[in-house]
Amino acid sequence: MYSNGDIFVGEVIGTAILILLGAGVCAAVTLSHSKAKASGWVVIAFGWGFGVLAGAYTAGPLSGGHLNPAVTLGIAIDTGEWGEVWVYLLGQMVGAMLGAVLAYLVYLAQFNANVTRSVKDKVSGAHEPTPTLGIFSTIPEIRNPVANLITEIIATIALVLPVLAFGLTKGLGESGTQTLIVAFLVVGIGLSLGGPTGYAINPARDLGPRIVHTFLPIPNKGTSDWSYAWIPVAGPLIGGALAGLIYNAAF
């Protein structure tokens, strides 16, 4: 249905928009000297949802707007069509890294002033660096590999299984509201299931920006936490595969 070239371009552009808005809202809430500083989790959840909305609608005519290797994997397992999977994955990874760089450039001044004022600042004038990895990638609140992996698997099933099921509802696709509903689904997952790990639910969304974070010249940026990086890749891939199997068996 789509050419390899269109798939690659669509997934690069769509995923870049997703990460630009997603990492952008995290930067807005996290970094000092941002007008949205400390505006909270609800803002982050809606920011990511709008990122999905804009990215998927933009990429839709070219590639179908997967923007997520877990979605691509679930669709491939359901349909048995694997020939274009590598093109989707390549485009998603390139787009995720591009989007992370663009978000960094938008907040360049804030990243360069990467400090936050503590209570002691009023007395001592000292500064502490603001951790930056959470702007780009996920960090668990409680570091427990088994629990973190389970969270990502379940949250991704909660994304991919409805995405596949929405395809059965003919009117959604014809009216163009299917993507809108997926965006609200992502917001809901963030609000309901995002607390433990930050809901990667997308290997490219986590891995691409983590790679970029490793190399960006951010002052006092802290670690890129590569010891944890396998979980937001493996968990969503397992969840996407299980969602494809469940959908194939049940519908």
Side-chain angles (χ1 to χ4, degrees), residues 56-249:
Y57 269 126
T58 303
L62 292 173
S63 67
H66 294 190
L67 315 186
N68 184 341
V71 171
T72 300
L73 179 60
I75 292 172
I77 288 175
D78 174 53
T79 63
E81 298 177 1
W82 294 88
E84 297 168 337
V85 167
W86 70 272
V87 186
Y88 277 97
L89 300 187
L90 180 60
Q92 290 155 6
M93 280 299 298
V94 172
M97 289 188 286
L98 175 60
V101 172
L102 293 174
Y104 165 73
L105 293 175
V106 170
Y107 284 89
L108 181 62
Q110 283 72 27
F111 278 113
N112 287 338
N114 181 32
V115 292
T116 183
R117 300 190 67 82
S118 67
V119 175
K120 294 179 180 179
D121 291 346
K122 297 178 181 179
V123 177
S124 66
H127 294 81
E128 298 174 0
T130 300
T132 58
L133 179 59
I135 295 170
F136 295 89
S137 299
T138 58
I139 303 171
E141 282 297 301
I142 298 175
R143 190 172 293 266
N144 181 316
V146 174
N148 301 152
L149 186 65
I150 290 171
T151 296
E152 287 293 334
I153 290 172
I154 294 173
T156 307
I157 292 173
L159 170 67
V160 178
L161 187 57
V163 166
L164 294 172
F166 293 159
L168 291 177
T169 307
K170 185 177 180 180
L172 292 179
E174 292 178 345
S175 65
T177 55
Q178 180 175 342
T179 299
L180 176 63
I181 294 172
V182 172
F184 279 116
L185 172 63
V186 171
V187 174
I189 291 171
L191 295 176
S192 299
L193 308 178
T197 62
Y199 73 117
I201 60 173
N202 181 338
R205 168 263 178 276
D206 194 276
L207 180 58
R210 195 181 298 268
I211 293 171
V212 169
H213 180 266
T214 299
F215 294 103
L216 283 176
I218 301 172
N220 304 308
K221 68 180 177 180
T223 177
S224 297
D225 196 10
W226 283 101
S227 64
Y228 178 76
W230 68 275
I231 290 176
V233 172
L237 289 176
I238 294 170
L242 290 174
L245 292 171
I246 293 168
Y247 179 82
N248 190 273

Side-chain angles (χ1 to χ4, degrees), residues 45-64:
F46 273 94
W48 278 103
F50 290 137
V52 170
L53 182 70
Y57 269 126
T58 303
L62 292 173
S63 67

Side-chain angles (χ1 to χ4, degrees), residues 4-18:
N4 284 351
D6 283 348
I7 290 171
F8 178 76
V9 171
E11 292 297 297
V12 168
I13 294 174
T15 309
I17 292 172
L18 164 63

